[in-house]
């Protein structure tokens, strides 16, 4: 147990916070590994689950990817209710159960002894659907930070959860083994059912946590959706979420310009963004300047997306092209990864005293929905003949990247002119601190007499 030594010394944090944070991060990256493992190997996945005869018409990898995105929208809504009514720990435990059962079903579907292609695909879809239901963990990021950590550590705790998404992408690409994933899924189960005992600590870590109000979930959602500033934050959050998915498309589009980097751009960009997000998280904890960070983030992202689009006008001519492309993708990925925890914190601050699970749940629901839409928009533009001539392989990839660049510019414009987050929670904590100091001064004055 750790105490504040300042005017907040009545607030405490407990060792158990590290168990619940570790359980959450492991749960997240093992779940994301299941999403990425087959999506990153499209040809191999389609060949295994459909066979050589059905390979060309196979959609196993596509369905595996889309099921995760569709289910994420649904479970975000369900997760808001579950986390608000039952608490963080039951939500994470339920997610852990979905995660392990989904992994086991997918493991059975990938056994070589199962020769029937219909049952392979059926079990793959079933297992993916069950595993995707574990994504209700998205709504508890800020709840864990608020309930278990001091205010000066909230953004860092949020970044740790967000970074586990990126870690799952890397590990899912490098270790696409259902057996390894299923074994790893046992770790969060052990932590959640054995070492984690409660959803909130015995005593609160901050004034805002101490005075938290539990109201009806529907009322909290409506209050969020009636808040104009929160709606602006939804737009910025959703676009950032979708821009990150555009990186996956771009990593394939660069092959049409003569590059042959396979999955390395995504792996490199993900590793870089994990470190940069953690560094920015520390800055956010110390300064609490979420709006400034979000604006700089949006500007850098827009500049790099546009620069990458212009750079891809030229075809590959040497190793330095790969360095430049990977650098730009890494910066873009870092900006998108940074905004997820920062956006969650801004949303919680603006809508306080609405519960964190509700505000982050609304943000994630819209983010996942736009992510799902952008995937189809970019591929629809690739298949079009509107501006650029469709030359078969790759199609009008230029138009798809133009749209990606437009969205990044739109994101910056919206953030620059309309993003005005309120710091309700921070103001409440500062007022509570001033009140405590005034009371102590009064007591000290009385004791002198």
């Amino acid at each position: 147990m750790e105490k504040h030594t300042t005017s907040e010394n009545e607030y405490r944090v407990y060792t158990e916070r590290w168990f619940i944070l570790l359980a959450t991060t492991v749960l997240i990256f093992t779940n994301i590994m299941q999403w990425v493992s087959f999506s990153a190997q499209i040809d191999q996945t389609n060949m295994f689950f459909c066979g050589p005869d059905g390979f060309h018409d196979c959609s196993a990898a596509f369905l595996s990817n889309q099921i995760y995105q569709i289910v994420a929208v649904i479970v975000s809504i369900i997760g808001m209710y579950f986390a608000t009514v039952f608490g963080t720990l039951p939500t994470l435990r339920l997610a852990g159960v979905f995660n392990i059962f989904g992994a086991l079903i997918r493991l059975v579907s990938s056994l070589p002894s199962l020769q029937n292609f219909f049952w392979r695909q059926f079990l793959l879809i079933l297992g993916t659907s069950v595993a995707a239901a574990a994504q209700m963990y998205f709504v508890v990021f800020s709840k864990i930070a608020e309930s278990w950590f001091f205010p000066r550590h909230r953004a860092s705790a949020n970044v740790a959860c967000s970074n586990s998404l990126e870690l799952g992408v890397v590990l899912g690409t490098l270790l696409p083994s259902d057996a390894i994933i299923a074994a790893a899924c046992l770790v969060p189960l052990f932590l959640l059912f054995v070492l984690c005992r409660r959803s909130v600590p015995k005593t609160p870590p901050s004034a805002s946590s101490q005075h938290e109000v539990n109201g009806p979930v529907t009322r909290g959602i409506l209050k969020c959706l009636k808040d104009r500033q929160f709606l602006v934050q939804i737009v910025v959050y959703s676009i950032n979420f979708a821009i990150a998915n555009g990186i996956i498309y771009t990593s394939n589009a660069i092959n049409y310009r003569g590059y042959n980097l396979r999955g390395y751009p995504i792996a490199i960009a993900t590793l870089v963004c994990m470190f940069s997000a953690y560094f920015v998280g520390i800055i956010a904890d110390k300064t609490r300047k979420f709006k400034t960070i979000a604006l700089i983030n949006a500007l850098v992202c827009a500049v790099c997306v546009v620069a990458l689009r212009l750079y891809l006008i030229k075809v590959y001519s040497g190793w330095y092209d790969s360095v430049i492309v990977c650098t730009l993708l890494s910066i873009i990925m870092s900006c998108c990864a940074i905004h997820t925890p920062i956006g969650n914190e801004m949303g919680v601050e603006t809508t306080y005293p609405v519960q964190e699970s509700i505000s982050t749940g609304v943000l994630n629901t819209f983010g996942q929905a736009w992510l799902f839409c952008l995937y189809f928009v970019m591929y629809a533009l690739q298949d079009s003949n509107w501006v650029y001539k469709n030359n078969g392989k790759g199609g009008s990839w230029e138009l798809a990247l133009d749209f990606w660049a437009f969205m990044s510019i739109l994101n910056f414009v919206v953030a620059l002119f309309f993003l005005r987050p309120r710091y309700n929670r921070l103001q409440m904590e500062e007022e509570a601190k001033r009140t405590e100091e005034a009371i102590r001064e009064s007591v000290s004055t009385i004791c002198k007499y």
Side-chain angles (χ1 to χ4, degrees):
M1 183 175 66
E2 179 186 340
K3 292 183 181 180
H4 264 299
T5 56
T6 65
S7 59
E8 298 177 277
N9 60 4
E10 69 274 14
Y11 299 121
R12 300 166 177 165
V13 291
Y14 297 83
T15 304
E16 189 179 346
R17 73 188 187 279
W18 299 116
F19 294 142
I20 197 164
L21 183 62
L22 178 61
T24 305
T25 55
V26 178
L27 170 63
I28 293 169
F29 80 68
T30 55
N31 187 255
I32 296 300
M33 285 176 71
Q34 297 187 62
W35 175 28
V36 174
S37 59
F38 288 158
S39 300
Q41 301 184 83
I42 297 176
D43 291 341
Q44 296 92 326
T45 299
N46 290 340
M47 178 63 74
F48 181 82
F49 285 96
C50 299
D53 294 334
F55 169 74
H56 295 290
D57 298 322
C58 186
S59 57
F62 173 80
L63 288 175
S64 179
N65 178 60
Q66 292 305 299
I67 285 172
Y68 250 82
Q69 296 183 18
I70 295 171
V71 174
V73 177
I74 299 172
V75 298
S76 291
I77 300 172
I78 297 173
M80 277 190 283
Y81 283 90
F82 203 89
T84 304
V85 175
F86 298 102
T88 302
L89 187 56
T91 303
L92 289 173
R93 284 176 172 173
L94 181 60
V97 171
F98 280 132
N99 195 42
I100 185 65
F101 275 103
L104 290 174
I105 296 173
R106 284 165 57 98
L107 175 60
V108 174
S109 74
S110 62
L111 293 176
S113 57
L114 182 63
Q115 296 294 319
N116 189 297
F117 292 118
F118 169 80
W119 284 108
R120 280 185 180 178
Q121 291 187 61
F122 174 79
L123 291 175
L124 171 65
I125 294 172
L126 176 62
T128 300
S129 301
V130 173
Q135 291 180 96
M136 61 179 66
Y137 52 65
F138 273 112
V139 304
V140 301
F141 286 12
S142 294
K143 183 70 174 176
I144 292 173
E146 164 71 22
S147 301
W148 288 93
F149 290 84
F150 286 138
R152 66 174 185 265
H153 296 150
R154 283 185 194 139
S156 296
N158 243 313
V159 168
C161 294
S162 179
N163 271 350
S164 59
L165 296 169
E166 324 304 336
L167 182 60
V169 173
V170 175
L171 294 179
T173 303
L174 300 178
L175 300 171
S177 168
D178 282 323
I180 294 175
I181 295 173
C185 289
L186 296 173
V187 177
L189 279 183
F190 172 79
L191 292 170
L192 290 168
F193 282 93
V194 178
L195 298 181
C196 299
R197 299 294 185 181
R198 54 182 67 88
S199 292
V200 294
K202 291 182 288 186
T203 57
S206 64
S208 60
S209 181
Q210 182 180 13
H211 297 94
E212 185 177 65
V213 179
N214 295 329
V217 179
T218 305
R219 183 186 302 171
I221 295 174
L222 291 176
K223 186 175 181 180
C224 289
L225 296 179
K226 290 179 180 178
D227 190 320
R228 293 181 180 178
Q229 179 52 221
F230 187 71
L231 293 178
V232 172
Q233 294 179 31
I234 287 176
V235 173
V236 176
Y237 186 94
S238 300
I239 294 177
N240 269 279
F241 221 68
I243 289 174
N245 192 58
I247 295 175
I248 299 176
Y249 173 88
T250 307
S251 66
N252 292 319
I254 61 177
N255 294 325
Y256 309 137
R257 307 304 290 161
Y259 294 81
N260 186 26
L261 300 177
R262 299 183 177 86
Y264 289 109
I266 294 297
I268 294 172
T270 304
L271 288 173
V272 171
C273 81
M274 289 173 61
F275 291 102
S276 57
Y278 183 73
F279 176 72
V280 174
I282 295 175
I283 296 175
D285 274 329
K286 292 184 179 297
T287 64
R288 314 301 292 174
K289 294 182 178 180
F290 300 126
K291 176 188 172 181
T292 303
I293 294 173
L295 281 176
I296 295 174
N297 202 50
L299 174 61
V300 174
C301 183
V303 170
C304 289
V305 170
V306 173
L308 180 60
R309 170 64 187 96
L310 295 175
Y311 195 79
L312 289 178
I313 293 176
K314 69 183 289 292
V315 297
Y316 176 82
S317 58
W319 61 269
Y320 52 88
D321 287 329
S322 298
V323 173
I324 293 173
V325 167
C326 287
T327 300
L328 290 173
L329 285 174
S330 297
I331 296 174
I332 298 167
M333 189 77 158
S334 296
C335 292
C336 296
I338 288 167
H339 190 81
T340 299
I342 298 300
N344 284 336
E345 286 291 292
M346 279 198 302
V348 171
E349 290 283 352
T350 298
T351 59
Y352 183 84
V354 174
Q355 286 206 51
E356 299 83 359
S357 56
I358 296 177
S359 55
T360 55
V362 173
L363 284 171
N364 184 68
T365 300
F366 280 93
Q368 293 284 359
W370 182 231
L371 177 71
F372 178 73
C373 293
L374 185 70
Y375 180 89
F376 285 101
V377 170
M378 293 188 74
Y379 276 96
L381 292 175
Q382 177 178 302
D383 292 335
S384 71
N385 281 293
W386 292 344
V387 179
Y388 304 95
K389 185 178 180 181
N390 192 325
N391 294 317
K393 185 177 181 181
S396 297
W397 61 268
E398 301 98 332
L399 185 59
L401 291 188
D402 287 345
F403 178 75
W404 189 47
F406 168 76
M407 293 306 300
S408 66
I409 296 172
L410 176 64
N411 178 51
F412 172 67
V413 172
V414 172
L416 179 63
F417 292 103
F418 302 105
L419 188 62
R420 301 288 186 272
R422 299 186 300 273
Y423 296 90
N424 297 338
R425 182 176 61 176
L426 185 59
Q427 291 173 0
M428 181 268 177
E429 289 170 345
E430 290 176 347
E431 290 174 1
K433 185 187 298 184
R434 285 193 294 267
T435 302
E436 291 169 13
E437 292 173 350
I439 292 174
R440 286 174 182 169
E441 288 178 3
S442 299
V443 172
S444 176
T445 302
I446 293 173
C447 290
K448 288 181 181 179
Y449 295 99

